[in-house]
Amino acid sequence: MRILRTIADVRAAVRAARRDDRTVGLVPTMGAFHDGHLSLMRTARADSDLVVVSLFVNPTQFSANEDLGSYPRDEARDAALAEAAGVDILFAPDVAEIYPDGFATTIHVAELTDVLDGASRGPHHFDGVATVVTKLFGIVRPDAAYFGRKDAQQVLVVRRVVRDLDLDVRIVPCPIVREADGLAMSSRNIYLDRASRARATALNRALDAGEAVFATGERDAEAILSAARRVLDHAGIAPEYLELRDAETLRGVTTVERDALLAVAARVGGARLIDNHLLTVSDAKGAE
């Protein structure tokens, strides 16, 4: 595996692969790798001839009161894990390489970014995500890019950027990877002390409770949300949001008639955590 720092070097490596008619897969990350990241890399490895992983803690998606300064960073550890997963190129630029002096362009996706994490973290968050991902697509020119479904809203935003800007890249959403007790893997789990770590499992248990009600054939959104809310209340967790939204448009729903996203965000101890379950109408009891 090669660790490359500059856009020019990455482009040269990709051009060389293209001359040999090799396919290119990209896994955009902010580092602090866990098994969720590694599952994306392994999927890219199975699909692609050349696997590029970007490692860049993107400052534009953090607000002033968020954890940019304390976000976990350990490039040596990440590089070793990426190499073991079969990655060919680790693109680890500094901030000035991605955002040089005078950088003045932002990609904004309307509507999809107005709710859930967009409302909770602010409009800058998905503007930063959309902008840096668009830059990475322009640098690497991948055939496919791999994203985890834990960040379901991010997947939808990136797909909209690709569609609206006619970018020639296939977006591959990959399953959420969980700990044995159901907690979704996240780089921010490192912030949890033992007590908070135990409480954090309530997020997935709440989603399980909502999904169990849905699986009986219940389609009323409030009934599904109430079941999830009871689990969070019992754990003493006040969510930033607990919502049921259309899985494609993220519009709010009162009755589940199409696939829906049951999504939660909450601060537990020192960590802000997100999770979601996809409620698939065809899987519900009594569905045709």
Side-chain angles (χ1 to χ4, degrees), residues 117 120-121 183 186 188-189 191-192 196 199-204 206 232 235-242 263-275:
D117 262 28
S120 187
R121 297 186 67 176
L183 180 65
S186 167
R188 289 185 168 95
N189 289 352
Y191 300 152
L192 298 169
S196 297
R199 286 178 63 229
T201 62
L203 271 66
N204 185 50
L232 295 179
I237 294 174
E240 286 188 9
Y241 61 74
L242 173 65
V264 64
R267 293 190 180 276
V268 182
R272 181 185 185 276
L273 305 175
I274 63 172
D275 202 350

Side-chain angles (χ1 to χ4, degrees), residues 166-214:
D166 296 310
L167 304 181
D168 189 16
V169 55
R170 178 169 53 95
I171 304 303
V172 182
C174 298
I176 297 172
V177 177
R178 299 183 180 278
E179 303 285 358
D181 59 8
L183 180 65
M185 291 190 177
S186 167
S187 298
R188 289 185 168 95
N189 289 352
I190 196 172
Y191 300 152
L192 298 169
D193 60 25
R194 181 174 296 181
S196 297
R197 173 67 180 73
R199 286 178 63 229
T201 62
L203 271 66
N204 185 50
R205 288 189 283 109
L207 299 177
D208 280 342
E211 186 170 6
V213 170
F214 170 75

Side-chain angles (χ1 to χ4, degrees), residues 75-88:
E75 184 181 302
R77 173 185 174 276
D78 286 345
L81 290 171
E83 185 167 22
V87 172
D88 298 298

Side-chain angles (χ1 to χ4, degrees), residues 131-149:
T131 302
V132 78
V133 168
T134 302
K135 286 211 67 167
L136 290 170
F137 289 171
I139 293 164
V140 179
R141 301 294 178 102
D143 296 284
Y146 300 81
F147 294 86
R149 290 188 184 274

Side-chain angles (χ1 to χ4, degrees), residues 30-226:
M30 294 205 303
F33 294 159
H34 51 68
D35 281 347
H37 295 110
L38 300 181
S39 72
L40 301 180
M41 297 176 203
R42 288 190 287 266
T43 302
R45 177 74 284 160
D47 288 351
S48 313
D49 298 319
L50 182 77
V51 176
V52 180
V53 171
S54 62
L55 194 168
F56 180 65
V57 181
N58 178 36
T60 64
Q61 67 191 68
F62 290 78
S63 68
N65 63 346
E66 291 185 319
D67 58 340
L68 175 60
S70 61
Y71 195 85
R73 295 168 171 86
D74 188 340
E75 184 181 302
R77 173 185 174 276
D78 286 345
L81 290 171
E83 185 167 22
V87 172
D88 298 298
I89 294 171
L90 187 68
F91 177 38
D94 62 24
V95 172
E97 184 71 11
I98 299 298
Y99 300 116
D101 287 344
F103 187 88
T105 299
T106 298
I107 304 294
H108 175 72
V109 176
E111 294 187 22
L112 283 175
T113 63
D114 293 339
V115 299
L116 300 178
D117 262 28
S120 187
R121 297 186 67 176
H124 70 280
H125 173 66
F126 284 115
D127 288 357
V129 169
T131 302
V132 78
V133 168
T134 302
K135 286 211 67 167
L136 290 170
F137 289 171
I139 293 164
V140 179
R141 301 294 178 102
D143 296 284
Y146 300 81
F147 294 86
R149 290 188 184 274
K150 181 173 72 70
D151 299 288
Q153 188 174 13
Q154 175 177 273
V155 172
L156 291 174
V157 169
V158 171
R159 277 181 161 167
R160 183 63 61 84
V161 169
V162 167
R163 189 197 75 174
D164 289 356
L165 300 184
D166 296 310
L167 304 181
D168 189 16
V169 55
R170 178 169 53 95
I171 304 303
V172 182
C174 298
I176 297 172
V177 177
R178 299 183 180 278
E179 303 285 358
D181 59 8
L183 180 65
M185 291 190 177
S186 167
S187 298
R188 289 185 168 95
N189 289 352
I190 196 172
Y191 300 152
L192 298 169
D193 60 25
R194 181 174 296 181
S196 297
R197 173 67 180 73
R199 286 178 63 229
T201 62
L203 271 66
N204 185 50
R205 288 189 283 109
L207 299 177
D208 280 342
E211 186 170 6
V213 170
F214 170 75
T216 68
E218 178 64 70
R219 299 299 181 90
D220 179 69
E222 186 50 41
I224 295 167
L225 290 168
S226 292

